[in-house]
């Protein structure tokens, strides 16, 4: 077995140490398989899922069969490919893929929104040349012109077939397998990892656990992550609980200074849609504005959260009077308007 990414012809994925587990998988119309492999580390966490893919890449059946390994992480994200010994990928007139072709194929397979997602097999060929083509991948002109930039030259069927193998039935199977791990010990172990994919899986499984509140503080800690995917998924975990959970509202706002600008904006807009916020939440938001944690642009949204009952709180009124005297004409103007209308 040969690794696409290893010049020493050693397997990148199969060379990893761990415990190998096998899972049955179903045939699909795109490819067939007998087993889905999972390699676990000593802590029981998934290092990768791997599958042998056997796929015919022509409509006519005249083209060759692609035989290759595909690997995913614990979330079903594409990790890479590995070749079988003596079975390189080929294209026109059986030309072997170059290193550049493999690199381009790798980029294509990492594109989760590829044009291949919405296309059918027959969409890949230029209809005007269909009658002249015997071996579809044997002529670069047979590829629909609008698709040539989205595939390896003269290998569009190979790219299409492998993309659907990566994002097809086995990826769905991985998602189902993850549901078997909704136990406290496993989820807590995921939270303790530094790798993004483990943390994302921790948030995902915690949200589906019947004891999801157990993990609330750990998820809240991820809101300050500099990884957009982690902070966004963490907020989605807590967002649906904000409407009725006053304690969670206070925790969320108290840590506002640690959030990325886009997340601060999202938090403020979400809080605005809650019918009534406690005085402590409003006061915390006003304090964050005073300290520069929140900008003047968001102050108007905060003012939309304030009702007449909040103005009975002397601390809130004091902050508003200070804003009314601000040298920033926008801040003083919207504050004066608030105090006049409430």
């Amino acid at each position: 077995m040969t690794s696409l990414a290893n010049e020493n012809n050693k397997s990148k994925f199969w060379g990893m140490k761990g415990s190998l587990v096998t899972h049955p998988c179903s045939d699909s119309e795109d490819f067939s398989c007998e087993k889905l492999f999972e390699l676990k580390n000593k802590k029981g966490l998934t290092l990768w899922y791997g599958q042998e893919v056997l796929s015919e890449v022509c409509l006519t059946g005249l083209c060759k069969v692609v035989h290759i390994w595909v690997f995913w992480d614990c979330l079903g994200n594409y990790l890479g490919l590995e070749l079988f010994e003596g079975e390189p990928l080929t294209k026109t007139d059986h030309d072997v893929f170059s290193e550049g072709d493999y690199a381009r194929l790798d980029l294509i397979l990492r594109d989760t929104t590829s044009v291949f997602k919405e296309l059918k097999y027959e969409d890949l060929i230029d209809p005007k040349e269909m009658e002249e083509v015997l071996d579809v991948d044997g002529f670069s002109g047979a590829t629909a012109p609008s698709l040539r930039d989205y595939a390896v030259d003269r290998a569009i069927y190979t790219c299409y077939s492998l993309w659907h193998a990566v994002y097809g039935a086995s990826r769905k199977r991985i998602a189902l397998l993850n549901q078997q791990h909704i136990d406290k010990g496993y989820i807590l172990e995921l939270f303790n990892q530094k790798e993004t994919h483990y943390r994302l899986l921790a948030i995902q499984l915690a949200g589906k656990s019947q004891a999801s509140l157990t993990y609330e503080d750990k998820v809240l800690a991820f809101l300050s992550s500099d990884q957009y995917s982690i902070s966004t998924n963490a907020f989605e975990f807590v967002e649906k609980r904000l409407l009725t959970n006053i304690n969670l509202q206070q925790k969320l706002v108290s840590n506002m200074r640690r959030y990325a600008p886009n997340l601060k904006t999202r938090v403020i807009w979400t809080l605005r849609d809650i019918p009534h916020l406690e005085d402590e939440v409003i006061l915390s938001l006003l304090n964050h504005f005073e300290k520069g944690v929140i900008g003047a642009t968001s102050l108007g949204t905060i003012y939309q959260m304030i009702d007449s009952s909040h103005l009975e709180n002397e601390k809130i009124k004091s902050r508003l009077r200070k804003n009314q005297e601000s040298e920033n004409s926008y801040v003083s103007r919207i504050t004066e308007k608030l105090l006049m209308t409430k």
Side-chain angles (χ1 to χ4, degrees):
M1 193 178 304
T2 306
S3 170
L4 300 178
N6 196 312
E7 296 180 356
N8 297 320
N9 291 329
K10 293 180 180 178
S11 172
K12 175 183 177 181
F13 295 102
W14 287 105
M16 295 180 181
K17 294 182 179 180
S19 301
L20 192 64
V21 180
T22 58
H23 306 283
C25 63
S26 301
D27 289 349
S28 78
E29 61 185 32
D30 298 318
F31 62 94
S32 61
C33 67
E34 294 182 356
K35 297 176 182 178
L36 180 67
F37 294 90
E38 179 185 10
L39 189 68
K40 295 185 177 185
N41 64 16
K42 293 180 179 179
K43 297 179 180 179
L45 304 183
T46 303
L47 294 171
W48 53 250
Y49 286 99
Q51 179 180 283
E52 178 183 354
V53 172
L54 195 64
S55 177
E56 188 176 70
V57 297
C58 288
L59 281 172
T60 62
L62 296 177
C63 293
K64 53 163 179 48
V65 170
V66 170
H67 193 197
I68 202 165
W69 283 101
V70 178
F71 296 89
W72 300 264
D73 68 13
C74 63
L75 288 170
N77 297 318
Y78 167 75
L79 288 177
L81 302 174
E82 284 191 357
L83 302 173
F84 281 86
E85 190 71 38
E87 297 185 48
L89 295 180
T90 59
K91 45 185 180 176
T92 301
D93 297 330
H94 304 291
D95 286 350
V96 176
F97 269 42
S98 67
E99 286 299 317
D101 291 330
Y102 282 124
R104 180 160 175 71
L105 175 61
D106 187 67
L107 289 175
I108 291 168
L109 297 181
R110 292 184 188 280
D111 182 5
T112 59
T113 60
S114 171
V115 66
F116 293 143
K117 183 176 183 179
E118 303 298 332
L119 294 179
K120 296 179 181 178
Y121 223 56
E122 54 268 27
D123 295 328
L124 305 179
I125 192 169
D126 186 349
K128 296 179 181 179
E129 302 187 23
M130 185 67 169
E131 295 181 359
E132 302 176 10
V133 178
L134 295 177
D135 185 338
V136 176
D137 268 353
F139 294 85
S140 60
T143 300
S146 60
L147 300 177
R148 290 174 189 166
D149 292 337
Y150 299 96
V152 173
D153 183 36
R154 294 168 294 161
I156 191 168
Y157 277 95
T158 298
C159 296
Y160 177 88
S161 298
L162 288 177
W163 191 91
H164 280 277
V166 168
Y167 295 98
S170 289
R171 197 164 186 256
K172 296 176 183 178
R173 176 62 175 150
I174 290 170
L176 292 175
L177 288 171
N178 282 333
Q179 303 313 305
Q180 300 177 10
H181 296 307
I182 304 182
D183 63 83
K184 186 174 182 179
Y186 185 82
I187 296 175
L188 289 177
E189 190 62 56
L190 289 170
F191 272 113
N192 291 333
Q193 306 307 306
K194 295 181 179 180
E195 294 87 345
T196 298
H197 56 282
Y198 286 138
R199 291 186 168 189
L200 289 175
L201 182 57
I203 297 170
Q204 181 186 115
L205 295 182
K208 295 178 180 180
S209 169
Q210 293 183 351
S212 59
L213 290 178
T214 305
Y215 311 103
E216 191 173 274
D217 287 341
K218 289 187 175 295
V219 175
L220 283 171
F222 283 169
L223 289 171
S224 58
S225 172
D226 56 4
Q227 294 287 327
Y228 176 79
S229 59
I230 293 178
S231 61
T232 299
N233 278 268
F235 183 71
E236 290 173 356
F237 175 95
V238 302
E239 186 175 16
K240 55 189 175 183
R241 296 172 170 80
L242 285 175
L243 182 62
T244 57
N245 193 325
I246 296 172
N247 184 50
L248 181 58
Q249 295 170 12
Q250 293 171 341
K251 286 182 179 180
L252 186 68
V253 172
S254 65
N255 291 313
M256 187 81 78
R257 66 186 183 281
R258 300 177 182 174
Y259 305 158
N262 64 308
L263 183 58
K264 291 178 185 177
T265 300
R266 187 172 178 183
V267 169
I268 290 171
W269 278 86
T270 302
L271 291 173
R272 186 202 62 168
D273 293 334
I274 296 176
H276 177 79
L277 295 170
E278 293 297 306
D279 288 2
E280 289 78 5
V281 175
I282 297 295
L283 190 58
S284 291
L285 290 169
L286 293 174
N287 287 338
H288 282 316
F289 171 73
E290 183 180 19
K291 295 175 182 178
V293 175
I294 296 173
T297 304
S298 295
L299 186 62
T301 307
I302 295 171
Y303 281 180
Q304 293 177 38
M305 308 174 197
I306 297 176
D307 58 38
S308 57
S309 67
H310 294 128
L311 297 180
E312 297 176 5
N313 185 303
E314 285 302 319
K315 290 183 179 180
I316 292 177
K317 288 187 69 174
S318 175
R319 290 287 183 273
L320 292 175
R321 291 193 188 101
K322 190 172 182 178
N323 289 347
Q324 191 177 17
E325 298 171 359
S326 172
E327 294 180 358
N328 185 315
S329 60
Y330 170 74
V331 172
S332 62
R333 185 173 67 253
I334 64 173
T335 305
E336 183 174 354
K337 183 179 178 180
L338 172 69
L339 292 172
M340 288 178 60
T341 56
K342 294 296 183 181

